[in-house]
Amino acid sequence: MRLAGTATRIAGGVFGQRVLRGRSGIDWQPVGELLAAVLGDMKGPVLKLGQMASQWHDVLPEPISRALGALQNRVPALPYDRLQAHLRKVYQGELTDYFEFIDEQPFAAASLGQVHRARGLNGEALVLKIQYPGIAEICAADLRQVRRLLPLGRLFRAPAAQLEGIYRELEQTIHAELDYAAEMQRLKRFGDFFADWDAVLLPRPIEHLCRPGVLVLTEVPGLPFAEVAQAPLEVRQRLAHTLPAWLAAQAFDLGELHADPHPGNFAYTPAGELVVYDFGCVQAVDPAVLAAYVCTFKALQSGNAEQLERGFQALGTRQPQSAPPWALYRNLTQLLGPLLQPGVLWDFADQPVHQEIQRLIPDALASLSSLQPAPGTLLVNRTLEGHYWNLTRLGLRVPVADLLGQQIEQHR
């Protein structure tokens, strides 16, 4: 009922503004505030959709993306007494038979579950990632209701097929994040692959303590990545080189991408090691999609608008039978091309590209009939955009092209 009422209020408000304001434009701020207020009180796919949508700056008006971005840190936790009764059922007995201690206060809460520190019977520091009781059934019901919100996307000129693709992407993401057994296997694959990387630390699953809906991991302590700007220069420099190299190794060598770049899923150590948490959202990298991203990267690097058109076509972002947005292509290559040259340091402190990109919004809006993000690229784009902000937090000059260049040149 709340979703239906919210959809009606938003649609009516936008229609009224179009009638009254005409060409002066629509004020999206009240829409963003309403969505954030409603979704912030919910869990499951509805909240997850809002969190995912906060990354879709190329689809949603900026005030809506900004308001939805607050949902990443505004998730109410479930009281421990309810969670404790649930855990006793899952473990079919007293929790003291398995754990010496479980902290009643969660240190993280998300759309599908929350995380508690614990200690094993052998004294090992652990964390318990616990799904909310009944969340699988809630998700199944909520996914049906999410479709009620999707028609709102037409207010932003998103095609119906695009909205359906977004729904399918959300549905697959929710199902993957609910499958803790699969997440444990993903974490083991990542752990094995990056075992020799002394700059990257991952938690290790404790398999004999894991249960359906409960993932037990070793605790890897770290400092909050959201506060990394306070770290010493040498620590930030190490992280600035590790993060792009880690992303490239995932895409080009492992063939899987950790696709939840929210800073809450990352930490760092005083020695400058990157700590990575939460492998519920991992995207398999299609070789054809990877090749299209490489083509797009090289087009931006060379300033070749025709090659950029081919890259966008390969990515599936170009709408069939529509004119290429050549003006937007030229502006993108002029903005990003100089930053992607070999030997050039991309200044993430004094060269805020996101502010420059805001100047392209009129061109981007004019190109909505021609360019729409392909559903299969949503998580990849979310990852790239999220780590742009993570690099911005580091506030350093980073040789992006040099760190990616070797991997890209080997990709034929």
Side-chain angles (χ1 to χ4, degrees), residues 93-127:
E94 291 300 319
L95 298 179
T96 52
D97 293 338
Y98 302 91
F99 305 98
E100 181 181 311
F101 165 79
I102 299 178
D103 191 345
E104 294 187 6
Q105 295 299 319
F107 71 89
S111 56
L112 306 181
Q114 60 195 51
V115 184
H116 291 252
R117 290 187 173 91
R119 191 162 51 244
L121 296 179
N122 62 354
E124 186 174 22
L126 305 172
V127 294

Side-chain angles (χ1 to χ4, degrees), residues 115-252:
V115 184
H116 291 252
R117 290 187 173 91
R119 191 162 51 244
L121 296 179
N122 62 354
E124 186 174 22
L126 305 172
V127 294
L128 274 64
K129 182 178 177 182
I130 308 165
Q131 285 182 18
Y132 298 123
I135 193 66
E137 292 77 12
I138 292 171
C139 286
D142 278 4
L143 281 169
R144 293 192 294 269
Q145 301 306 321
V146 163
R147 286 186 177 273
R148 295 177 181 268
L149 279 177
L150 290 184
L152 291 178
R154 296 174 187 171
L155 298 176
F156 317 131
R157 290 187 274 179
Q162 206 77 27
L163 296 172
E164 180 62 26
I166 289 173
Y167 174 81
R168 289 197 302 269
E169 192 79 14
L170 172 67
E171 184 178 40
Q172 293 171 7
T173 299
I174 294 296
H175 289 162
E177 292 199 29
L178 286 173
D179 191 344
Y180 278 11
E183 180 177 350
M184 182 176 68
Q185 295 304 318
R186 290 193 291 270
L187 181 53
K188 289 170 64 177
R189 288 197 302 275
F190 272 75
D192 291 342
F193 186 85
F194 290 102
D196 296 332
W197 284 50
D198 57 5
V200 177
L201 302 178
L202 307 179
R204 174 174 49 86
I206 308 299
E207 295 189 52
H208 72 278
L209 290 177
C210 294
R211 296 291 187 276
V214 180
L215 191 57
V216 182
L217 310 168
T218 56
E219 182 179 11
V220 183
L223 301 167
F225 202 90
E227 302 170 10
V228 73
Q230 305 170 15
L233 176 61
E234 60 272 16
V235 169
R236 289 183 287 122
Q237 286 176 331
R238 188 181 186 191
L239 291 167
H241 282 73
T242 298
L243 188 55
W246 177 69
L247 285 170
Q250 292 176 71
F252 290 97

Side-chain angles (χ1 to χ4, degrees), residues 385-406:
E385 183 175 356
H387 285 305
Y388 165 80
W389 291 109
N390 287 333
L391 288 170
T392 300
R393 287 182 176 89
L394 296 174
L396 295 174
R397 302 173 72 196
V398 182
V400 173
D402 293 342
L403 291 172
L404 300 178
Q406 184 176 1

